[in-house]
Amino acid sequence: MTPLPVVYPPPPWSNQNIVLYHGTVDVFANTILTRVRVASGKPATDFGPGFYTTTVHQQAHTWAVQIAASKPGSLPAVVEVIIPRQALAKLKSFTAVQISKNRIGQSLKTQG
């Protein structure tokens, strides 16, 4: 049996982009669109400080409504994050933890 040839670098993925949603409030949405600061997350969350996302828009909206209720004068906002699958190849690590069918906590760490 002839072994398959090794291809370096691997060919680019042909899959679609990954679309994630983050529930927040209007005053934080523009900052998040500019730069995600993982350190600004709350340390006592499910998985510790991080930038939490979901693949379900309605779930992110529910989180946003809950956050807005605790911050008088703010409005719920959902930030859409689109990640080209090829960009994942540049990451040192990528962790996705599925809690339930519709809730996923994600952690991204870039090289460098």
Side-chain angles (χ1 to χ4, degrees):
M1 185 169 181
T2 307
L4 294 173
V6 178
V7 180
Y8 291 104
W13 293 350
S14 59
N15 299 9
Q16 72 282 7
N17 293 335
I18 297 172
V19 180
L20 303 170
Y21 303 99
H22 176 78
T24 188
V25 290
D26 55 343
V27 294
F28 299 142
N30 285 334
T31 302
I32 291 168
L33 289 170
T34 305
R35 180 176 177 200
V36 173
R37 293 182 300 159
V38 175
S40 65
K42 296 177 184 174
T45 52
D46 294 336
F47 303 103
F51 183 70
Y52 288 79
T53 62
T54 179
T55 56
V56 180
H57 185 275
Q58 183 59 45
Q59 184 177 24
H61 183 263
T62 299
W63 290 341
V65 169
Q66 291 172 357
I67 295 166
S70 69
K71 298 189 181 304
S74 65
L75 298 172
V78 174
V79 176
E80 182 179 81
V81 180
I82 300 173
I83 303 173
R85 288 188 188 260
Q86 189 61 32
L88 295 178
K90 298 176 185 176
L91 299 176
K92 277 179 139 177
S93 66
F94 174 81
T95 306
V97 181
Q98 185 167 355
I99 306 256
S100 67
K101 188 174 181 180
N102 294 328
R103 184 173 174 208
I104 297 179
Q106 307 232 352
S107 170
L108 302 175
K109 184 175 182 181
T110 57
Q111 292 180 351

